[in-house]
Amino acid sequence: MKLSVIGCGYLGAVHAAAMASIGHDVVGIDVDQRKVDALAQGIAPFFEPGLPELLKDGVASGRLRFTTDMCAAADATVHFIGVGTPQQKDGYAADLTYVDAAVDALLPFLKPGDVVAGKSTVPVGTAARLAERVTPTGATLVWNPEFLREGWAVKDTIEPDRLVAGVPTDGTGRADADGERAADVLREVYHTAVATNTPFIVTDLATAELVKVAANAFLATKISFINAMAEIAEVTGADVTQLADAIGHDVRIGRRFLGAGIGFGGGCLPKDIRAFSARAEELGRGESVSFLREVDAINLRRRDRAVDLVVDALGGSVFEKRITVLGAAFKPHSDDIRDSPALDVAVRLRGLGASVVVTDPEAIPNAKAKHPQLTYVEDRDEALTDADAVVLVTEWDEYRRQLSPEHASSLTKGRIVVDGRNGLDAAAWRAAGWSYYGMGRP
Ligand code: UDX
């Protein structure tokens, strides 16, 4: 099939490359010339495992092209919208400027029978509004949310755990004729996943939009729930990691996303729960998701907690202390520093007068551009040298599994480790003579 993918960021670039890898003829379109130039040469503009290989293969096969020229969409019959929906500068709501601009630019190239599939995370009601513009061209607008996780984006795109297609309905919630046809077109696009019986759920437009924000709201709530338990553990001497293990054995609860620590960040969960709150307010149902404000507040408090732990561990002041911060990315397997709790902790420690040295296997260039006031050292061991305290904030294997306390002792001056992700073996670090401080642990 001939596909266009509009917006070539984390979502669109991976989607374009993945669709080419399963046999489609794909053109990725973006307004950013530099990004397009890199992608056209098979170079990933961000760190995502597996993406460089997919890009190279796709470009070499001739099935994957990138351009800034929207005319290229004219040949395609299915058009994916994968542009960003960041938080508005002056509020909680999502900024839909890029989605609207993408649809406007695409309109002149749409033909009767084309399918426009929105993938961006949008406030419920956006698709119905966009459909009013798309339908007069004879094309059908559907919403096909994307659930990929950074770091696993290629696998999540090619082998998703479910596919959701929000399509036009007849007013009783059933797909109308255009909706049925568009759903079939998406089944053909995702033929490999459909062939392996991946659940394919056809809904109306509003449900599909809500599925995505509800999923992210649930994940954020799960993390903040366990972090709230960490706060209680901290005043009772309990251990939140054991608590999570114990409740996680209940299959109704499950252990995943019960990792207590410095909380969630990134380009999705924080802005998506805020946009959801803002949209619910607009709909007169703010109270239905008012708990998301609490989820956000708990999450942000954990960053304060990590900073307080470091200050206390160093005797009440970090002034002129050398602190090595292990990690800058918002999570491992990513170079993304958007709303990164790890960098936030580093910046705050520096603000308190510490001499902060940050290391990260992938995120240093992005971190340096955003926070040039911090010192960055690529080599982990060099970063650890002479540290008064070590703070783990992104649980890369390089720090969690491959750094032994004995080796760390041979490099640092102090023996204080603050484990912002509860990723280290506390007993092993203590046995090696370190003062270990976890999050929500004795
Ligand atoms: C998220 C959703 O998981 C994905 O489905 C959606 O498409 C986009 O948003 P992503 O932003 O890549 O994906 O990150 P995710 O793996 O969900 O992690 C989000 C944050 O939560 C990270 O900062 C991570 O460190 C943190 N986290 C995760 C915890 O603090 N504890 C956990 O137990 C799990």
Side-chain angles (χ1 to χ4, degrees):
M1 299 171 83
K2 286 192 186 303
L3 317 178
S4 77
V5 178
I6 296 144
C8 296
Y10 284 94
L11 165 54
V14 175
H15 192 67
M19 292 302 103
S21 82
I22 61 168
H24 298 303
D25 191 348
V26 187
V27 60
I29 305 172
D30 199 288
V31 291
D32 183 340
Q33 185 74 53
R34 276 179 41 207
K35 197 182 279 178
V36 163
D37 289 345
L39 288 164
Q41 292 173 53
I43 299 166
F46 48 85
F47 175 78
E48 184 62 46
L51 181 60
E53 295 80 356
L54 228 55
L55 282 172
K56 277 202 181 66
D57 289 355
V59 170
S61 73
R63 282 199 309 275
L64 180 60
R65 305 180 291 126
F66 293 92
T67 176
T68 54
D69 185 0
M70 189 59 89
C71 293
D75 284 345
T77 54
V78 186
H79 312 272
F80 290 97
I81 308 284
V83 294
T85 52
Q87 186 177 329
Q88 280 180 7
K89 287 199 172 59
D90 55 355
Y92 266 16
D95 178 354
L96 296 176
T97 315
Y98 306 109
V99 173
D100 282 314
V103 171
D104 282 341
L106 179 63
L107 282 179
F109 303 102
L110 292 177
K111 311 170 288 299
D114 281 7
V115 172
V116 179
K119 294 197 81 64
S120 308
T121 303
V122 290
V124 57
T126 305
R129 180 169 66 74
L130 296 174
E132 287 174 17
R133 280 193 266 163
V134 168
T135 312
T137 66
T140 305
L141 182 100
V142 302
W143 218 260
N144 171 222
E146 180 57 62
F147 305 102
L148 66 79
R149 299 159 295 169
E150 286 178 25
W152 306 95
V154 169
K155 185 178 182 302
D156 286 350
T157 304
I158 298 176
E159 299 165 37
D161 48 19
R162 79 289 208 188
L163 289 157
V164 175
V167 304
T169 50
D170 62 8
T172 69
R174 278 173 52 118
D176 64 16
D178 283 344
E180 294 268 13
R181 205 188 54 81
D184 283 342
V185 168
L186 283 188
R187 283 192 187 90
E188 212 181 317
V189 169
Y190 297 115
H191 61 103
T192 49
V194 169
T196 54
N197 294 324
T198 304
F200 188 97
I201 300 153
V202 179
T203 68
D204 55 36
L205 294 173
T207 305
E209 292 169 308
L210 274 175
V211 167
K212 171 65 196 221
V213 284
N216 277 359
F218 192 87
L219 293 171
T221 303
K222 203 170 175 189
I223 298 168
S224 277
F225 174 83
I226 203 64
N227 278 329
M229 296 305 105
E231 291 186 336
I232 303 296
E234 276 152 14
V235 292
T236 53
D239 185 332
V240 76
T241 61
Q242 288 184 324
L243 182 149
D245 290 343
I247 63 172
H249 282 299
D250 184 330
V251 290
R252 295 170 302 174
I253 296 173
R255 180 64 173 83
R256 296 178 72 186
F257 271 66
L258 285 184
I262 57 168
F264 60 81
C268 294
L269 298 192
K271 70 133 172 107
D272 286 352
I273 60 168
R274 290 171 195 157
F276 196 8
S277 296
R279 183 62 182 138
E281 294 279 353
E282 280 171 16
L283 294 165
R285 286 286 181 276
E287 64 191 10
S288 303
V289 293
S290 59
F291 66 91
L292 290 178
R293 305 264 169 173
E294 212 49 57
V295 164
D296 204 357
I298 293 166
N299 189 54
L300 295 174
R301 282 206 297 272
R302 300 314 287 163
R303 304 176 184 190
D304 302 336
R305 170 69 185 172
V307 172
D308 289 347
L309 271 179
V310 180
V311 172
D312 289 349
L314 282 165
S317 168
V318 295
F319 193 72
E320 291 187 336
K321 296 283 196 238
R322 185 178 163 99
I323 300 176
T324 301
V325 174
L326 299 176
F330 84 106
K331 67 170 191 181
H333 313 290
S334 172
D335 67 354
D336 196 347
I337 54 142
R338 288 177 294 172
D339 207 346
S340 168
L343 259 186
D344 199 11
V345 167
V347 168
R348 289 188 203 200
L349 289 169
R350 151 104 191 173
L352 293 173
S355 154
V356 175
V357 177
V358 178
T359 186
D360 189 287
E362 296 294 339
I364 290 180
N366 286 341
K368 205 183 258 178
K370 178 115 192 276
H371 296 292
Q373 76 276 29
L374 300 174
T375 302
Y376 298 94
V377 172
E378 278 191 27
D379 183 76
R380 183 199 68 189
D381 287 1
E382 195 187 324
L384 285 166
T385 302
D386 292 337
D388 293 301
V390 178
V391 187
L392 175 86
V393 278
T394 313
E395 67 277 35
W396 288 96
D397 277 349
E398 283 85 338
Y399 314 139
R400 203 166 68 97
R401 295 180 193 277
Q402 293 157 18
L403 176 63
S404 73
E406 293 75 18
H407 181 65
S409 301
S410 72
L411 301 165
T412 61
K413 199 157 76 200
R415 297 286 180 274
I416 291 166
V417 62
V418 174
D419 183 0
R421 293 292 185 180
N422 289 338
L424 301 174
D425 180 344
W429 282 75
R430 286 191 174 122
W434 286 73
S435 297
Y436 170 96
Y437 301 84
M439 302 287 291
R441 310 179 75 180

